Amino acid sequence: MLILGLDPSLSCTGWGVIRAEGSRITHIANGQIPTDAKAPMVRRLSLLHTSVEAVIAEYAPDRAAAEEVFANKNAQSTLKLAQARGAVLAACGGAGLEVNEHAARLVKKAVVGTGGADKTQVQAMLKVLLPGAKLAGADAADALAVAIADAHLSYTPPSR
């Protein structure tokens, strides 16, 4: 099963693809989709949408997973995040992918063991879980963590 993890953001959306075979996970690819802050909003959203479509076309994941939206204190930032999520999730929907959404604390708990883990701890655990994987950046690392959490949270061991 190939899982596409997504960390949507207007400034830079991270993505990561893993293979989950039972409880075993393998790194396939990861990357980031930065947008130009000076570009018009419609161009930035279009870039996110078409770039995620291209990732889906290249790797043909079986499903996707994304972090649940959280509300910032700044309403404008929350709105921009929601628009970026919409563009990214629409690309998944257009490809017929099921998308599981997970809270950030749950992702951290599934990957590191504690919901209060910081980015450094998550990235350190990714090096253990995905040896040899070269991370494209912090946003790609977050996306891989979402994919791993999704694999762990949906894994049911075989009954005896």
Side-chain angles (χ1 to χ4, degrees):
M1 157 116 7
L2 289 182
I3 303 171
L4 170 62
L6 295 162
D7 181 32
S9 168
L10 184 59
S11 60
C12 185
T13 288
W15 61 270
V17 180
I18 63 165
R19 179 180 311 283
E21 297 170 308
S23 61
R24 186 175 160 205
I25 57 168
T26 309
H27 174 262
I28 302 298
N30 70 89
Q32 298 187 143
I33 308 162
T35 67
D36 181 355
K38 295 176 186 157
M41 178 64 80
V42 294
R43 297 272 186 271
R44 296 173 79 184
L45 295 174
S46 177
L47 173 65
L48 292 176
H49 187 270
T50 57
S51 296
V52 171
E53 282 181 324
V55 169
I56 292 168
E58 182 172 351
Y59 296 102
D62 298 297
R63 71 170 183 253
E67 260 189 19
E68 282 181 350
V69 71
F70 62 91
N72 293 301
K73 288 185 171 50
N74 180 328
Q76 194 68 16
S77 295
T78 301
L79 180 59
K80 288 178 181 179
L81 173 61
Q83 290 174 314
R85 283 177 48 81
V88 167
L89 296 180
C92 293
L97 289 181
E98 169 191 340
V99 180
N100 296 324
E101 297 185 66
H102 304 290
R105 290 187 65 79
L106 187 59
V107 169
K108 292 173 185 178
K109 184 170 182 157
V111 174
V112 179
T114 177
D118 63 25
K119 286 187 177 284
T120 307
Q121 290 171 301
V122 171
Q123 290 176 18
M125 187 55 87
L126 287 177
K127 290 178 182 174
V128 173
L129 295 172
L130 304 172
K134 293 191 183 355
L135 302 177
D139 297 303
D142 290 347
L144 284 168
V146 170
I148 292 168
D150 187 67
H152 289 321
L153 294 168
S154 33
Y155 172 68
T156 50
S159 56
R160 294 182 182 227

